[in-house]
Amino acid sequence: GAIDERRQMGNLFMGLRTYNIAWLAEYDYIVDDLVSGKHKQGIGFLEANLEYRQGHNLKLTYEYLDPDTDIDEDERVRYSMIWEYTPIRFNQIRLGYRRNEGIPQNDQQNSDEIFVQNHIYF
């Protein structure tokens, strides 16, 4: 027979502009009704974008994941600071720093990264 599993999701989303800072915020709550029981998780995101000069944007982000709300101390958090430069239309260069914080026993969840990206839009 068919397995009766169901997913319910709720979401709050907000965008706001204060002077030259654009704010984005989101929170998601997900409940999976599984054969083995309910599984609940929470996901949050906050972003501030500052265009301090035409073509130059500074982005600060905070990301939150609680993969199982019934388990204490399993949350993951990620902070980012990214400089975005758009020298010409459809081309964006990004230089960023990201700090990942998770459970202490998992080195992959606790790392720093520096990255360079080139986004070409067409």
Side-chain angles (χ1 to χ4, degrees):
I3 297 174
D4 186 24
E5 294 185 348
R6 191 176 323 191
R7 172 171 272 192
Q8 298 175 35
M9 298 171 48
N11 170 283
L12 294 172
F13 178 81
M14 181 194 82
L16 176 69
R17 186 165 179 95
T18 56
Y19 185 55
N20 59 346
I21 300 175
W23 298 89
L24 298 172
E26 180 175 355
Y27 184 77
D28 301 296
Y29 187 71
I30 301 168
V31 178
D32 291 317
D33 286 320
L34 306 172
V35 173
S36 59
K38 283 190 188 260
H39 179 255
K40 299 171 277 189
Q41 56 183 317
I43 304 161
F45 178 77
L46 178 64
E47 177 178 292
N49 287 282
L50 168 67
E51 183 181 21
Y52 59 91
R53 204 167 116 199
Q54 186 167 349
H56 296 265
N57 184 58
L58 180 62
K59 180 187 302 266
L60 302 172
T61 65
Y62 168 82
E63 300 168 76
Y64 172 83
L65 170 64
D66 186 350
D68 191 335
T69 61
D70 291 331
I71 298 175
D72 287 336
E73 308 285 331
D74 70 335
E75 298 86 1
R76 297 179 210 159
V77 176
R78 184 163 75 175
Y79 306 92
S80 300
M81 183 170 59
I82 303 167
W83 169 63
E84 299 173 325
Y85 174 53
T86 308
I88 59 173
R89 217 164 115 180
F90 307 117
N91 185 28
Q92 181 185 74
I93 300 164
R94 302 173 89 206
L95 173 62
Y97 167 76
R98 186 167 285 144
R99 171 78 186 140
N100 298 288
E101 296 178 359
I103 60 172
Q105 301 86 348
N106 188 330
D107 288 340
Q108 285 185 317
Q109 290 181 8
N110 295 281
S111 62
D112 295 336
E113 43 185 312
I114 295 173
F115 57 91
V116 176
Q117 299 173 333
N118 187 20
H119 294 196
I120 300 172
Y121 303 95
F122 55 94

